[in-house]
Amino acid sequence: MNQKKTTALLLGLTMSLTGTAFAAPTDQAQDIDSRIAALEQQQSNLEKEIKELRHQNSQLKNQTRSQKK
């Protein structure tokens, strides 16, 4: 009877440790996916900002040219 209980406990511990080991990559994958999504959003925001700054730069250059004339 003790051997069955010991076997059951060891099996339970093994299964829980195995479950934890297999769960870790999923958490890491989700973390990586969220980091990638955040970086893509940041890149998109920076691209919009660059576009706006280029437009402002162009306007300032046009103003400078017209003032020189």
Side-chain angles (χ1 to χ4, degrees):
M1 191 71 153
N2 278 341
Q3 189 176 10
K4 287 183 181 181
K5 286 182 181 179
T6 305
T7 304
L9 280 171
L10 287 175
L11 182 61
L13 287 172
T14 303
M15 293 301 287
S16 66
L17 290 175
T18 304
T20 304
F22 286 129
T26 304
D27 292 341
Q28 288 176 352
Q30 288 174 349
D31 185 43
I32 290 171
D33 288 342
S34 65
R35 284 181 174 179
I36 290 172
L39 288 172
E40 287 175 343
Q41 181 63 40
Q42 186 178 13
Q43 181 180 4
S44 176
N45 292 343
L46 289 172
E47 287 173 353
K48 288 177 186 176
E49 189 175 343
I50 287 171
K51 185 177 180 181
E52 290 173 11
L53 289 172
R54 284 182 177 161
H55 180 70
Q56 289 176 2
N57 188 24
S58 176
Q59 287 179 334
L60 289 172
K61 284 182 180 180
N62 288 338
Q63 282 180 350
T64 303
R65 285 184 196 134
S66 66
Q67 288 177 356
K68 285 182 180 180
K69 290 181 182 180

